[in-house]
Amino acid sequence: MALISSTSPHTTVSNNTGAFMRQVIYATLPGLAVLTWQFGWGTVINVLWAVVVALVSEALILKARGRPVAFYLKDYSAVLTAVLLALALPPTSPWWLTLIGVGFAIIVAKQLYGGLGMNPFNPAMVGYVLLLISFPVAMTQWIAPGEAPSLAQSWQLFTGQLPVDGLSGATPLDTFRTWAGNDSELASHGILDGQFAGLGWEWVNLAFLLGGLYLISRKIITWHIPAGFLGGLALPALIAWLINPVRFSDPVFQIFSGGAMLGAFFIATDPVSAATSRSGRLIYAALIGVLIWVIRSFGGYPDAVAFSVLLLNLCAPFIDYYTQPRTYGHNKANRGTNSAKQGGGS
């Protein structure tokens, strides 16, 4: 039998960065399918266009930096950024909106910081926030669920040939935030008449939940961030709803509306910009969830996943610093004993 002459470890796995990124992309497909079913083909068109923009942007900036283009494109990180940003955009988004958001996410939020592994903020959310602040009207024009335009109409919306005004409407979160406390007005909005959350959006979030559970089962992500995220969002929602159910929505509505599941399983779990220790992940994610509820309930934006994730990206190094696991074999008693010995020897 031939001896192994190489150094340990001798076991190998086929997973690499590209393989992990592809698994995350595959997990978004149920959500993409339900978004297309509820809101039309605009999201599919946006995803395809966003991927093209991301690859071209990444290739150009890599070429300018003197880096091997093909090597870095094979990690699929640019494709994943494009997919996540496109999924968060309204299906009525024109081509130029996606171009600006994805280009900024890749060139500024990712590559100008040094590329994959160096960016302190989630690139997709940086691009999203840029668009939301710069073009608030275009970023809030969602089609009413179940009234999806045809493929031809979606293409016309994408190219700017069809006006959006006659097709778009308020989302469940926006409707509830606007009319909270007015029962008669809320009752008149069918967008809130879902089975257990906002009409249409409950199925979108269930689809992303399915994809997220797939990622956990494949050990692409751990349960800590999704659990902390959803718990941090649900707990204050439950407390407020029990105190004043007229003013505040119930926790089920909160976690199955807007981008909650997309944020919990696909955005907050970004391994580069999130906290890394186990307890740190729970704290990091729970604070994101609490912040989302605060902004949704008292802020100026109906959904706040992007803002909350970026703010906690900023805090992730601080959280990791204070939640580092103790080095194996060392504890407070040992450190005290060693210090005493050193003091006696001196």
Side-chain angles (χ1 to χ4, degrees), residues 75-96:
D75 65 18
Y76 282 84
S77 61
V79 175
L80 180 58
T81 297
V83 170
L84 293 179
L85 179 51
L87 289 173
L89 295 178
T92 58
S93 300
W95 65 270
W96 53 267

Side-chain angles (χ1 to χ4, degrees), residues 4 25 38 47 53 73-74 82 99 121 135-136 143 201 228 266-267 309 316 318 321 335 343:
I4 299 175
I25 294 170
Q38 291 291 328
V47 167
V53 173
L73 289 185
K74 287 191 297 184
L99 174 66
F121 302 101
F135 311 101
I143 295 170
W201 287 93
F266 295 92
I267 295 172
V309 168
F318 176 83
Y321 181 81
R335 286 202 297 268

Side-chain angles (χ1 to χ4, degrees), residues 39-332:
F39 302 104
W41 290 92
T43 303
V44 175
I45 296 172
N46 274 335
V47 167
L48 296 176
W49 172 234
V51 169
V52 172
V53 173
L55 292 175
V56 172
S57 300
E58 180 118 315
L60 290 175
I61 200 72
L62 286 170
K63 189 72 174 177
R65 295 177 59 203
R67 301 296 178 89
V69 175
F71 175 79
Y72 285 101
L73 289 185
K74 287 191 297 184
D75 65 18
Y76 282 84
S77 61
V79 175
L80 180 58
T81 297
V83 170
L84 293 179
L85 179 51
L87 289 173
L89 295 178
T92 58
S93 300
W95 65 270
W96 53 267
L97 192 74
T98 307
L99 174 66
I100 294 172
V102 175
F104 189 85
I106 296 297
I107 295 173
V108 177
K110 180 186 176 186
Q111 286 297 332
L112 291 189
Y113 279 101
L116 180 64
M118 304 296 291
N119 49 286
F121 302 101
N122 186 298
M125 294 299 95
V126 172
Y128 182 89
V129 167
L130 170 75
L131 296 178
L132 185 59
I133 294 174
S134 303
F135 311 101
V137 175
M139 288 292 288
T140 55
Q141 292 179 322
W142 282 86
I143 295 170
E147 299 181 10
S150 65
L151 177 59
Q153 289 176 315
S154 297
W155 178 256
Q156 291 175 328
L157 288 168
F158 176 73
T159 56
Q161 301 175 32
L162 183 67
V164 183
D165 296 340
L167 298 173
S168 62
T171 63
L173 285 172
D174 193 24
T175 301
F176 191 90
R177 183 177 65 89
T178 302
W179 300 106
N182 190 332
D183 288 344
S184 60
E185 192 64 41
L186 284 175
S188 67
H189 288 81
I191 191 70
L192 300 176
D193 296 336
Q195 297 295 321
F196 50 89
L199 186 65
W201 287 93
E202 54 193 4
W203 307 118
V204 172
N205 278 276
L206 278 174
F208 282 121
L209 171 61
L210 178 64
L213 294 177
Y214 167 80
L215 293 179
I216 293 176
S217 69
R218 295 299 301 270
K219 300 187 184 327
I220 306 298
I221 62 174
T222 65
W223 61 268
H224 301 81
I225 289 179
F229 184 111
L230 297 176
L233 176 58
L235 182 59
L238 175 62
I239 295 171
W241 178 66
L242 290 174
I243 294 173
N244 188 352
V246 176
R247 169 65 178 81
F248 300 101
S249 59
D250 63 82
V252 175
F253 179 87
Q254 286 287 334
I255 65 176
F256 284 100
S257 294
M261 294 296 177
L262 179 64
F265 290 95
F266 295 92
I267 295 172
T269 52
D270 174 29
V272 177
S273 56
T276 56
S277 65
R278 289 187 178 181
S279 57
R281 289 173 185 170
L282 289 171
I283 296 170
Y284 161 85
L287 290 175
I288 291 176
V290 171
L291 194 55
I292 289 173
W293 179 81
V294 170
I295 297 176
R296 282 180 175 182
S297 302
F298 305 104
Y301 293 94
D303 202 358
V305 172
F307 289 108
S308 302
V309 168
L310 292 180
L311 287 171
L312 266 297
N313 286 164
L314 188 66
C315 301
F318 176 83
I319 295 172
D320 276 337
Y321 181 81
Y322 285 101
T323 57
Q324 294 180 40
R326 187 171 296 141
T327 305
Y328 181 75
H330 291 76
N331 54 40
K332 293 181 179 179

